[in-house]
Amino acid sequence: LSDALTIQETSNILIYDHTIIIHVKFGLDCILHVWVEEDPQEILQSVCECVEKVCEMLTHMNISTDLIKAIGVTNQRETTLVWDKETGLPLYNAIVWMDLRTQSTVDRLISKTPGGNKNHLKTGLPISTYFSAVKLRWLMDHIEEVAHAVDTHTAMFGTVDSWLVWCLTGGVDGGIHCTDVSNASRTLLFNINTLQWDLELCSFFEIPVEILPEVKSSSEIYGYLVGSLTGTPISGCLGDQSAALVGQMCLKDGQAKNTYGTGCFLLRNTGTKPVMSDHGLLTTVAYKLGPDRPACYALEGSVAIAGAVVRWLKDNMGIIQSSAEIEKLAASVGTSYGCYFVPAFSGLYAPYWEPNARGIICGLTQFTTRNHLAFAALEAVCFQTKEILDAMNQDSGVPLTQLQVDGGMTCNQLLMQLQADILCIPVVKPTMSETTALGAAMAAGSADGVSVWNINTEHSVTTERYQPQINPNETEFRYARWKKAVQKAMNWETAESGNGMVFTQKYIFLHTLSGI
Protein backbone atom coordinates (compact mmCIF):
# COMPACT_ATOMS: atom_id res chain seq x y z
CA LEU A 1 0.00 0.00 0.00
CA SER A 2 0.93 3.63 -0.50
CA ASP A 3 -0.75 5.63 2.22
CA ALA A 4 -0.70 9.43 2.58
CA LEU A 5 -1.92 10.76 5.91
CA THR A 6 -2.25 14.35 7.05
CA ILE A 7 -1.72 14.63 10.80
CA GLN A 8 -2.17 17.69 13.00
CA GLU A 9 0.87 18.24 15.17
CA THR A 10 0.60 17.96 18.98
CA SER A 11 -2.94 16.53 18.89
CA ASN A 12 -2.16 13.45 16.74
CA ILE A 13 -5.46 14.05 14.95
CA LEU A 14 -5.71 12.31 11.59
CA ILE A 15 -7.12 14.94 9.22
CA TYR A 16 -7.14 12.92 6.02
CA ASP A 17 -6.02 9.47 4.85
CA HIS A 18 -5.67 8.38 1.22
CA THR A 19 -4.60 4.83 0.38
CA ILE A 20 -3.60 3.26 -2.93
CA ILE A 21 -3.02 -0.45 -3.48
CA ILE A 22 0.33 -1.44 -5.00
CA HIS A 23 0.33 -4.72 -6.87
CA VAL A 24 2.81 -7.33 -5.74
CA LYS A 25 3.98 -10.01 -8.16
CA PHE A 26 4.62 -13.44 -6.75
CA GLY A 27 6.52 -16.01 -8.76
CA LEU A 28 8.04 -19.46 -8.49
CA ASP A 29 11.62 -20.23 -9.50
CA CYS A 30 11.93 -23.98 -10.15
CA ILE A 31 10.28 -25.69 -7.18
CA LEU A 32 11.79 -23.99 -4.15
CA HIS A 33 12.24 -20.25 -4.36
CA VAL A 34 9.43 -17.71 -4.19
CA TRP A 35 9.95 -14.46 -6.10
CA VAL A 36 8.21 -11.35 -4.78
CA GLU A 37 8.55 -8.09 -6.73
CA GLU A 38 7.04 -4.61 -7.00
CA ASP A 39 7.18 -2.10 -9.85
CA PRO A 40 9.25 0.92 -8.68
CA GLN A 41 7.39 3.22 -11.08
CA GLU A 42 4.07 2.09 -9.65
CA ILE A 43 5.35 2.76 -6.14
CA LEU A 44 6.39 6.29 -7.15
CA GLN A 45 3.18 6.97 -9.06
CA SER A 46 1.06 5.83 -6.12
CA VAL A 47 2.92 8.19 -3.77
CA CYS A 48 2.52 11.12 -6.18
CA GLU A 49 -1.18 10.36 -6.54
CA CYS A 50 -1.58 10.15 -2.76
CA VAL A 51 0.03 13.60 -2.38
CA GLU A 52 -2.24 15.07 -5.06
CA LYS A 53 -5.36 13.55 -3.51
CA VAL A 54 -4.42 14.90 -0.09
CA CYS A 55 -4.00 18.39 -1.55
CA GLU A 56 -7.36 18.14 -3.33
CA MET A 57 -9.16 17.00 -0.19
CA LEU A 58 -7.59 19.66 2.03
CA THR A 59 -8.68 22.32 -0.48
CA HIS A 60 -12.18 20.82 -0.45
CA MET A 61 -12.12 21.08 3.37
CA ASN A 62 -11.06 24.75 3.13
CA ILE A 63 -7.66 23.94 4.65
CA SER A 64 -4.73 25.64 2.94
CA THR A 65 -1.96 23.33 1.71
CA ASP A 66 0.43 26.04 2.94
CA LEU A 67 -0.20 24.58 6.38
CA ILE A 68 1.65 21.41 5.37
CA LYS A 69 5.00 22.12 6.97
CA ALA A 70 6.92 18.93 6.23
CA ILE A 71 6.78 15.46 4.70
CA GLY A 72 7.86 12.24 6.38
CA VAL A 73 8.60 8.98 4.57
CA THR A 74 8.28 5.47 5.97
CA ASN A 75 8.81 2.30 4.01
CA GLN A 76 9.54 -1.40 3.81
CA ARG A 77 13.11 -1.51 4.99
CA GLU A 78 14.87 -4.29 3.09
CA THR A 79 13.06 -4.08 -0.27
CA THR A 80 15.81 -3.40 -2.81
CA LEU A 81 15.94 -1.18 -5.91
CA VAL A 82 18.61 -0.22 -8.45
CA TRP A 83 18.10 2.61 -10.94
CA ASP A 84 20.11 4.57 -13.51
CA LYS A 85 21.12 8.03 -12.33
CA GLU A 86 21.29 9.37 -15.90
CA THR A 87 17.89 8.18 -17.16
CA GLY A 88 16.15 8.04 -13.79
CA LEU A 89 14.67 4.67 -14.72
CA PRO A 90 14.68 1.55 -12.56
CA LEU A 91 16.86 -1.24 -13.95
CA TYR A 92 14.71 -4.02 -12.52
CA ASN A 93 11.67 -4.46 -10.32
CA ALA A 94 12.05 -3.90 -6.59
CA ILE A 95 12.89 -7.20 -4.87
CA VAL A 96 10.66 -7.38 -1.79
CA TRP A 97 11.95 -8.24 1.68
CA MET A 98 10.26 -11.67 1.79
CA ASP A 99 11.63 -12.80 -1.60
CA LEU A 100 13.52 -16.12 -1.40
CA ARG A 101 15.31 -16.31 -4.75
CA THR A 102 18.67 -15.43 -3.19
CA GLN A 103 19.10 -18.58 -1.06
CA SER A 104 21.94 -19.90 -3.25
CA THR A 105 23.63 -16.49 -2.97
CA VAL A 106 23.29 -16.71 0.81
CA ASP A 107 24.81 -20.20 0.87
CA ARG A 108 27.76 -19.03 -1.24
CA LEU A 109 28.37 -15.99 0.96
CA ILE A 110 28.20 -17.98 4.18
CA SER A 111 30.74 -20.44 2.77
CA LYS A 112 33.17 -17.49 2.43
CA THR A 113 33.01 -16.60 6.13
CA PRO A 114 35.40 -18.04 8.74
CA GLY A 115 33.85 -21.27 10.00
CA GLY A 116 30.73 -20.73 7.87
CA ASN A 117 29.42 -18.21 10.41
CA LYS A 118 26.37 -16.39 9.07
CA ASN A 119 26.34 -13.74 11.81
CA HIS A 120 28.04 -10.38 11.30
CA LEU A 121 28.48 -8.58 14.62
CA LYS A 122 29.16 -5.30 12.81
CA THR A 123 25.65 -5.34 11.39
CA GLY A 124 23.64 -7.10 14.09
CA LEU A 125 22.14 -9.26 11.34
CA PRO A 126 22.70 -12.77 9.96
CA ILE A 127 23.42 -13.32 6.27
CA SER A 128 19.91 -14.09 5.07
CA THR A 129 17.64 -13.71 2.04
CA TYR A 130 15.83 -11.08 4.13
CA PHE A 131 18.41 -8.29 3.82
CA SER A 132 19.28 -5.87 1.03
CA ALA A 133 22.95 -6.64 0.28
CA VAL A 134 22.08 -10.22 -0.68
CA LYS A 135 19.35 -8.99 -3.04
CA LEU A 136 21.71 -6.40 -4.53
CA ARG A 137 24.40 -9.04 -5.02
CA TRP A 138 21.84 -11.24 -6.84
CA LEU A 139 20.85 -8.35 -9.11
CA MET A 140 24.49 -7.66 -9.98
CA ASP A 141 25.05 -11.35 -10.72
CA HIS A 142 21.90 -12.06 -12.74
CA ILE A 143 20.55 -8.85 -14.31
CA GLU A 144 22.71 -7.62 -17.18
CA GLU A 145 21.38 -4.04 -17.03
CA VAL A 146 22.29 -3.77 -13.35
CA ALA A 147 25.79 -5.21 -13.86
CA HIS A 148 26.41 -2.83 -16.78
CA ALA A 149 25.23 0.22 -14.82
CA VAL A 150 27.50 -0.70 -11.91
CA ASP A 151 30.45 -1.12 -14.27
CA THR A 152 29.76 2.23 -15.97
CA HIS A 153 29.18 4.04 -12.66
CA THR A 154 25.57 5.00 -13.44
CA ALA A 155 23.88 2.68 -10.93
CA MET A 156 22.17 3.93 -7.78
CA PHE A 157 21.08 1.54 -5.05
CA GLY A 158 18.51 2.19 -2.39
CA THR A 159 15.66 0.88 -0.34
CA VAL A 160 12.22 2.32 -1.11
CA ASP A 161 12.85 5.48 0.92
CA SER A 162 15.96 6.33 -1.14
CA TRP A 163 14.10 5.86 -4.41
CA LEU A 164 11.20 8.06 -3.30
CA VAL A 165 13.30 10.85 -1.83
CA TRP A 166 15.55 10.93 -4.92
CA CYS A 167 12.57 11.11 -7.28
CA LEU A 168 10.51 13.56 -5.21
CA THR A 169 13.42 16.00 -4.84
CA GLY A 170 14.18 16.20 -8.55
CA GLY A 171 15.50 12.83 -9.73
CA VAL A 172 17.98 13.35 -12.58
CA ASP A 173 17.73 17.10 -11.97
CA GLY A 174 19.47 17.20 -8.62
CA GLY A 175 17.55 14.59 -6.63
CA ILE A 176 18.96 13.75 -3.20
CA HIS A 177 20.34 10.22 -2.89
CA CYS A 178 20.11 9.44 0.81
CA THR A 179 18.70 7.10 3.41
CA ASP A 180 18.44 7.13 7.20
CA VAL A 181 20.18 4.98 9.79
CA SER A 182 17.16 2.73 10.42
CA ASN A 183 17.01 1.69 6.76
CA ALA A 184 20.79 1.53 6.29
CA SER A 185 21.06 -0.83 9.23
CA ARG A 186 19.00 -3.42 7.32
CA THR A 187 21.37 -3.77 4.38
CA LEU A 188 24.22 -5.91 5.82
CA LEU A 189 26.58 -3.16 4.60
CA PHE A 190 26.22 -0.76 7.54
CA ASN A 191 28.33 -0.78 10.68
CA ILE A 192 25.86 -0.15 13.49
CA ASN A 193 28.66 0.94 15.84
CA THR A 194 30.28 3.59 13.62
CA LEU A 195 26.97 4.43 11.84
CA GLN A 196 28.74 4.35 8.47
CA TRP A 197 28.92 2.14 5.42
CA ASP A 198 31.59 -0.42 6.19
CA LEU A 199 34.28 -0.83 3.52
CA GLU A 200 35.16 -4.33 4.72
CA LEU A 201 31.53 -5.43 4.39
CA CYS A 202 31.23 -3.80 0.96
CA SER A 203 34.36 -5.71 -0.09
CA PHE A 204 32.93 -8.97 1.27
CA PHE A 205 29.76 -8.57 -0.81
CA GLU A 206 31.75 -7.07 -3.71
CA ILE A 207 29.49 -4.02 -3.80
CA PRO A 208 31.02 -0.63 -4.69
CA VAL A 209 30.37 1.89 -1.95
CA GLU A 210 29.78 4.70 -4.47
CA ILE A 211 26.39 3.28 -5.49
CA LEU A 212 25.12 3.50 -1.91
CA PRO A 213 23.04 6.45 -0.64
CA GLU A 214 24.40 8.95 1.88
CA VAL A 215 23.33 7.96 5.39
CA LYS A 216 21.60 10.66 7.42
CA SER A 217 19.66 10.86 10.65
CA SER A 218 15.96 10.04 10.82
CA SER A 219 14.96 13.65 11.41
CA GLU A 220 16.53 16.42 9.32
CA ILE A 221 15.78 18.25 6.10
CA TYR A 222 17.01 16.02 3.26
CA GLY A 223 15.67 18.13 0.41
CA TYR A 224 12.56 19.85 -0.94
CA LEU A 225 9.69 18.54 -3.02
CA VAL A 226 9.27 19.40 -6.68
CA GLY A 227 5.86 19.13 -8.34
CA SER A 228 2.93 19.01 -5.93
CA LEU A 229 3.77 20.89 -2.71
CA THR A 230 6.91 22.34 -4.32
CA GLY A 231 9.33 23.63 -1.71
CA THR A 232 7.94 21.56 1.16
CA PRO A 233 10.80 19.88 3.02
CA ILE A 234 11.14 16.13 3.30
CA SER A 235 12.47 15.98 6.83
CA GLY A 236 11.56 12.61 8.30
CA CYS A 237 12.66 9.16 7.18
CA LEU A 238 12.23 5.93 9.12
CA GLY A 239 11.90 2.27 8.23
CA ASP A 240 8.35 1.15 8.90
CA GLN A 241 9.05 -0.73 12.13
CA SER A 242 11.18 2.07 13.54
CA ALA A 243 8.44 4.55 12.64
CA ALA A 244 5.91 2.47 14.55
CA LEU A 245 8.26 2.38 17.57
CA VAL A 246 8.43 6.19 17.53
CA GLY A 247 4.70 6.54 16.86
CA GLN A 248 3.97 4.33 19.87
CA MET A 249 6.22 6.62 21.96
CA CYS A 250 8.51 3.69 22.81
CA LEU A 251 11.39 6.11 23.28
CA LYS A 252 12.77 4.73 26.53
CA ASP A 253 15.02 1.75 27.18
CA GLY A 254 12.83 -1.31 27.80
CA GLN A 255 9.71 -0.17 25.93
CA ALA A 256 8.47 -2.42 23.13
CA LYS A 257 5.87 -2.66 20.41
CA ASN A 258 4.66 -5.37 18.04
CA THR A 259 3.34 -4.52 14.56
CA TYR A 260 0.94 -6.99 12.95
CA GLY A 261 1.05 -6.59 9.18
CA THR A 262 2.04 -8.97 6.40
CA GLY A 263 4.66 -10.13 8.88
CA CYS A 264 5.05 -9.51 12.59
CA PHE A 265 7.79 -7.27 13.97
CA LEU A 266 8.50 -6.96 17.67
CA LEU A 267 11.00 -4.22 18.60
CA ARG A 268 12.32 -3.43 22.07
CA ASN A 269 14.16 -0.17 22.63
CA THR A 270 17.58 -0.85 24.18
CA GLY A 271 18.73 2.76 24.44
CA THR A 272 21.96 4.19 23.04
CA LYS A 273 23.99 0.98 23.13
CA PRO A 274 23.42 -2.00 20.81
CA VAL A 275 22.58 -5.24 22.61
CA MET A 276 23.65 -8.39 20.76
CA SER A 277 21.25 -11.29 21.00
CA ASP A 278 22.12 -14.79 22.16
CA HIS A 279 18.66 -16.07 21.26
CA GLY A 280 18.16 -15.51 17.55
CA LEU A 281 17.05 -11.87 17.53
CA LEU A 282 18.35 -9.01 15.41
CA THR A 283 20.15 -5.92 16.64
CA THR A 284 19.11 -2.89 14.64
CA VAL A 285 19.32 0.90 14.69
CA ALA A 286 15.88 2.07 15.80
CA TYR A 287 16.21 5.78 15.05
CA LYS A 288 18.44 8.84 15.29
CA LEU A 289 16.23 11.86 15.81
CA GLY A 290 18.60 14.54 14.50
CA PRO A 291 22.17 14.84 13.17
CA ASP A 292 23.50 15.75 16.61
CA ARG A 293 21.35 13.30 18.55
CA PRO A 294 22.58 9.83 19.59
CA ALA A 295 21.36 6.77 17.74
CA CYS A 296 19.01 4.51 19.67
CA TYR A 297 19.01 0.76 19.10
CA ALA A 298 16.50 -2.06 19.34
CA LEU A 299 16.33 -5.80 19.65
CA GLU A 300 14.02 -7.11 16.95
CA GLY A 301 12.20 -10.32 16.30
CA SER A 302 10.86 -10.69 12.77
CA VAL A 303 8.12 -13.09 11.66
CA ALA A 304 7.70 -13.44 7.90
CA ILE A 305 4.06 -14.56 7.84
CA ALA A 306 1.36 -13.00 10.03
CA GLY A 307 -1.39 -11.16 8.15
CA ALA A 308 -0.21 -12.98 5.03
CA VAL A 309 -1.64 -16.21 6.47
CA VAL A 310 -5.12 -14.63 6.42
CA ARG A 311 -4.59 -13.61 2.81
CA TRP A 312 -3.47 -17.17 2.03
CA LEU A 313 -6.65 -18.60 3.55
CA LYS A 314 -8.68 -16.18 1.43
CA ASP A 315 -6.90 -16.07 -1.92
CA ASN A 316 -5.23 -19.45 -2.14
CA MET A 317 -7.58 -21.74 -0.23
CA GLY A 318 -10.93 -19.94 -0.50
CA ILE A 319 -11.69 -20.73 3.15
CA ILE A 320 -12.80 -17.14 3.80
CA GLN A 321 -14.22 -14.53 1.46
CA SER A 322 -12.75 -11.49 3.20
CA SER A 323 -10.03 -10.86 5.76
CA ALA A 324 -12.61 -9.67 8.28
CA GLU A 325 -14.42 -13.03 8.10
CA ILE A 326 -11.65 -14.92 9.88
CA GLU A 327 -12.55 -13.42 13.26
CA LYS A 328 -16.18 -14.50 12.95
CA LEU A 329 -15.25 -18.04 11.89
CA ALA A 330 -12.66 -18.48 14.64
CA ALA A 331 -14.91 -16.99 17.33
CA SER A 332 -17.73 -19.38 16.42
CA VAL A 333 -15.69 -22.34 17.74
CA GLY A 334 -13.30 -20.65 20.18
CA THR A 335 -10.69 -23.37 19.77
CA SER A 336 -8.47 -24.98 17.15
CA TYR A 337 -9.64 -28.42 18.36
CA GLY A 338 -6.02 -29.58 18.61
CA CYS A 339 -5.09 -28.29 15.15
CA TYR A 340 -1.79 -26.38 14.85
CA PHE A 341 -0.67 -24.28 11.89
CA VAL A 342 2.96 -23.28 11.27
CA PRO A 343 2.84 -20.81 8.33
CA ALA A 344 6.51 -21.13 7.34
CA PHE A 345 5.80 -20.17 3.72
CA SER A 346 9.10 -18.26 3.53
CA GLY A 347 11.00 -20.42 5.98
CA LEU A 348 11.20 -19.33 9.60
CA TYR A 349 12.71 -16.02 10.69
CA ALA A 350 13.42 -15.20 14.34
CA PRO A 351 14.36 -16.93 16.51
CA TYR A 352 15.19 -19.89 14.22
CA TRP A 353 16.51 -18.37 10.96
CA GLU A 354 15.72 -21.63 9.19
CA PRO A 355 15.23 -20.99 5.45
CA ASN A 356 14.43 -24.64 4.73
CA ALA A 357 11.37 -24.83 6.96
CA ARG A 358 8.00 -24.94 5.21
CA GLY A 359 4.40 -24.52 6.27
CA ILE A 360 2.62 -27.33 8.04
CA ILE A 361 -0.86 -27.98 9.46
CA CYS A 362 -1.04 -30.88 11.90
CA GLY A 363 -3.37 -32.36 14.50
CA LEU A 364 -6.21 -32.71 12.00
CA THR A 365 -9.11 -35.04 12.79
CA GLN A 366 -12.33 -35.93 10.99
CA PHE A 367 -14.02 -33.26 13.09
CA THR A 368 -11.72 -30.40 12.01
CA THR A 369 -13.56 -27.66 10.11
CA ARG A 370 -12.55 -24.45 8.37
CA ASN A 371 -13.54 -22.66 11.58
CA HIS A 372 -10.87 -24.56 13.51
CA LEU A 373 -8.31 -23.76 10.79
CA ALA A 374 -9.21 -20.09 11.07
CA PHE A 375 -8.65 -20.23 14.84
CA ALA A 376 -5.35 -22.10 14.36
CA ALA A 377 -4.16 -19.43 11.91
CA LEU A 378 -4.78 -16.66 14.44
CA GLU A 379 -3.13 -18.72 17.18
CA ALA A 380 -0.08 -19.16 14.93
CA VAL A 381 0.43 -15.39 14.82
CA CYS A 382 0.25 -15.27 18.63
CA PHE A 383 2.55 -18.25 19.17
CA GLN A 384 5.18 -16.76 16.85
CA THR A 385 5.01 -13.51 18.83
CA LYS A 386 5.45 -15.46 22.08
CA GLU A 387 8.57 -17.17 20.73
CA ILE A 388 10.08 -13.76 19.98
CA LEU A 389 9.00 -12.26 23.30
CA ASP A 390 10.51 -15.18 25.23
CA ALA A 391 13.83 -14.68 23.38
CA MET A 392 13.69 -10.94 24.01
CA ASN A 393 13.06 -11.41 27.72
CA GLN A 394 16.06 -13.77 27.92
CA ASP A 395 18.34 -11.34 26.08
CA SER A 396 17.31 -8.32 28.15
CA GLY A 397 16.95 -10.07 31.49
CA VAL A 398 13.91 -7.91 32.27
CA PRO A 399 10.56 -9.45 31.22
CA LEU A 400 8.04 -7.16 29.53
CA THR A 401 5.01 -6.42 31.67
CA GLN A 402 2.80 -5.36 28.76
CA LEU A 403 2.97 -5.36 24.96
CA GLN A 404 2.03 -2.34 22.86
CA VAL A 405 0.58 -3.33 19.49
CA ASP A 406 -0.30 -1.72 16.17
CA GLY A 407 -0.89 -2.66 12.53
CA GLY A 408 -3.82 -3.80 10.43
CA MET A 409 -4.46 -7.07 12.26
CA THR A 410 -5.05 -5.31 15.59
CA CYS A 411 -8.63 -4.55 14.50
CA ASN A 412 -9.26 -8.26 15.11
CA GLN A 413 -10.41 -8.29 18.73
CA LEU A 414 -10.23 -12.07 19.03
CA LEU A 415 -6.59 -12.00 17.90
CA MET A 416 -5.74 -9.36 20.49
CA GLN A 417 -7.43 -11.34 23.27
CA LEU A 418 -5.66 -14.52 22.13
CA GLN A 419 -2.37 -12.64 22.21
CA ALA A 420 -2.92 -11.49 25.78
CA ASP A 421 -3.89 -15.02 26.82
CA ILE A 422 -0.87 -16.65 25.17
CA LEU A 423 1.63 -14.05 26.47
CA CYS A 424 0.04 -13.90 29.94
CA ILE A 425 0.53 -10.11 29.97
CA PRO A 426 -1.76 -7.23 28.94
CA VAL A 427 -1.87 -6.20 25.29
CA VAL A 428 -2.26 -2.45 24.76
CA LYS A 429 -3.62 -1.03 21.51
CA PRO A 430 -3.64 2.72 20.74
CA THR A 431 -6.86 4.20 19.37
CA MET A 432 -4.70 6.03 16.80
CA SER A 433 -4.05 2.95 14.66
CA GLU A 434 -1.73 4.56 12.07
CA THR A 435 1.31 4.63 14.34
CA THR A 436 3.78 4.01 11.50
CA ALA A 437 2.63 7.14 9.66
CA LEU A 438 2.48 8.99 12.97
CA GLY A 439 6.12 8.13 13.71
CA ALA A 440 7.24 9.45 10.31
CA ALA A 441 5.21 12.63 10.86
CA MET A 442 6.75 13.12 14.30
CA ALA A 443 10.27 12.75 12.88
CA ALA A 444 9.49 15.21 10.06
CA GLY A 445 7.83 17.75 12.32
CA SER A 446 10.60 17.75 14.92
CA ALA A 447 13.48 18.32 12.46
CA ASP A 448 15.60 21.45 12.80
CA GLY A 449 14.24 24.04 10.40
CA VAL A 450 10.69 22.68 10.79
CA SER A 451 10.26 22.37 14.55
CA VAL A 452 6.49 22.10 14.73
CA TRP A 453 6.58 19.00 16.92
CA ASN A 454 8.34 18.41 20.22
CA ILE A 455 9.04 14.71 20.00
CA ASN A 456 10.24 14.64 23.61
CA THR A 457 6.86 15.72 24.91
CA GLU A 458 4.98 12.95 26.70
CA HIS A 459 1.85 12.84 24.57
CA SER A 460 -1.24 11.38 26.16
CA VAL A 461 -2.13 8.24 24.20
CA THR A 462 -5.62 6.76 24.42
CA THR A 463 -5.47 2.98 24.49
CA GLU A 464 -7.56 -0.17 24.63
CA ARG A 465 -6.30 -2.95 26.92
CA TYR A 466 -6.74 -6.71 26.64
CA GLN A 467 -6.12 -8.63 29.87
CA PRO A 468 -5.16 -12.34 30.00
CA GLN A 469 -8.23 -14.44 30.74
CA ILE A 470 -7.13 -18.08 30.72
CA ASN A 471 -5.10 -20.28 33.06
CA PRO A 472 -1.35 -20.03 32.35
CA ASN A 473 -1.13 -23.85 32.50
CA GLU A 474 -3.45 -24.09 29.50
CA THR A 475 -1.31 -21.58 27.66
CA GLU A 476 1.84 -23.59 28.32
CA PHE A 477 0.19 -26.80 27.13
CA ARG A 478 -0.93 -25.23 23.85
CA TYR A 479 2.44 -23.54 23.39
CA ALA A 480 4.28 -26.84 23.87
CA ARG A 481 2.13 -28.45 21.16
CA TRP A 482 2.89 -25.50 18.86
CA LYS A 483 6.64 -25.97 19.45
CA LYS A 484 6.25 -29.64 18.55
CA ALA A 485 4.59 -28.62 15.27
CA VAL A 486 7.43 -26.18 14.54
CA GLN A 487 9.97 -28.99 14.80
CA LYS A 488 8.02 -30.99 12.22
CA ALA A 489 8.21 -28.02 9.81
CA MET A 490 12.02 -27.81 10.09
CA ASN A 491 14.44 -28.87 7.34
CA TRP A 492 11.64 -29.66 4.92
CA GLU A 493 13.61 -28.48 1.91
CA THR A 494 16.98 -30.09 1.26
CA ALA A 495 19.47 -30.02 -1.59
CA GLU A 496 17.86 -33.21 -2.87
CA SER A 497 14.31 -31.83 -2.87
CA GLY A 498 14.49 -30.70 -6.48
CA ASN A 499 16.12 -33.84 -7.95
CA GLY A 500 14.29 -34.94 -11.06
CA MET A 501 12.22 -31.75 -11.03
CA VAL A 502 14.34 -29.33 -13.04
CA PHE A 503 12.39 -26.78 -15.07
CA THR A 504 13.82 -25.43 -18.33
CA GLN A 505 12.36 -21.99 -17.67
CA LYS A 506 11.14 -19.89 -14.78
CA TYR A 507 7.39 -19.94 -14.44
CA ILE A 508 6.12 -16.66 -13.04
CA PHE A 509 2.52 -16.99 -11.97
CA LEU A 510 1.45 -13.41 -12.35
CA HIS A 511 -1.35 -13.45 -9.91
CA THR A 512 -1.29 -10.06 -8.25
CA LEU A 513 -2.36 -9.30 -4.74
CA SER A 514 -3.04 -6.07 -2.94
CA GLY A 515 -0.21 -4.45 -1.04
CA ILE A 516 2.18 -5.59 1.60
Side-chain angles (χ1 to χ4, degrees), residues 335-365:
T335 176
S336 68
Y337 202 74
C339 172
Y340 291 86
F341 189 171
V342 182
F345 302 154
S346 301
L348 289 170
Y349 284 13
Y352 302 102
W353 297 105
E354 176 48 72
N356 295 319
R358 286 297 180 267
I360 188 170
I361 301 173
C362 55
L364 298 172
T365 73

Side-chain angles (χ1 to χ4, degrees), residues 67-255:
L67 295 175
I68 297 178
K69 300 301 183 184
I71 302 291
V73 175
T74 182
N75 59 286
Q76 299 172 352
R77 295 170 295 175
E78 301 82 10
T79 297
T80 298
L81 299 89
V82 182
W83 65 96
D84 190 299
K85 65 182 178 183
E86 293 181 351
T87 67
L89 297 176
L91 298 170
Y92 192 74
N93 280 341
I95 300 182
V96 176
W97 60 273
M98 65 168 62
D99 185 285
L100 292 181
R101 77 186 70 184
T102 57
Q103 187 56 53
S104 61
T105 304
V106 167
D107 294 339
R108 177 173 59 82
L109 290 167
I110 291 175
S111 71
K112 290 171 54 178
T113 64
N117 183 4
K118 66 181 179 182
N119 295 304
H120 268 293
L121 295 182
K122 287 184 180 183
T123 68
L125 312 173
I127 302 175
S128 164
T129 60
Y130 187 10
F131 304 110
S132 304
V134 175
K135 303 178 194 299
L136 177 55
R137 185 65 259 167
W138 185 93
L139 286 167
M140 293 169 63
D141 290 339
H142 294 87
I143 304 303
E144 183 179 345
E145 293 84 354
V146 173
H148 177 72
V150 171
D151 289 341
T152 57
H153 308 287
T154 61
M156 283 184 157
F157 155 79
T159 43
V160 174
D161 59 304
S162 296
W163 165 245
L164 292 177
V165 172
W166 186 79
C167 292
L168 294 174
T169 56
V172 295
D173 296 320
I176 305 300
H177 188 211
C178 69
T179 189
D180 92 299
V181 291
S182 69
N183 284 293
S185 72
R186 310 297 288 191
T187 62
L188 284 172
L189 301 172
F190 188 70
N191 187 320
I192 61 173
N193 299 297
T194 64
L195 301 180
Q196 295 176 340
W197 298 122
D198 191 284
L199 296 181
E200 185 180 5
L201 292 172
C202 290
S203 175
F204 174 81
F205 286 98
E206 299 179 77
I207 292 171
V209 70
E210 60 265 21
I211 74 171
L212 306 180
E214 181 183 358
V215 182
K216 294 178 175 288
S217 76
S218 310
S219 179
E220 62 179 280
I221 295 176
Y222 313 111
Y224 298 87
L225 263 68
V226 297
S228 297
L229 299 177
T230 293
T232 304
I234 301 178
S235 54
C237 181
L238 285 160
D240 49 6
Q241 303 313 319
S242 291
L245 194 73
V246 173
Q248 285 262 36
M249 294 299 293
C250 293
L251 304 176
K252 297 178 181 178
D253 186 351
Q255 293 181 312

Side-chain angles (χ1 to χ4, degrees), residues 471-501:
N471 189 309
N473 292 332
E474 180 182 346
T475 293
E476 288 305 314
F477 173 79
R478 287 157 58 182
Y479 185 47
R481 298 294 292 273
W482 155 263
K483 299 282 277 188
K484 184 178 180 181
V486 168
Q487 292 306 310
K488 294 184 181 299
M490 292 290 196
N491 300 309
W492 190 265
E493 293 296 348
T494 65
E496 292 75 30
S497 296
N499 283 354
M501 305 183 73

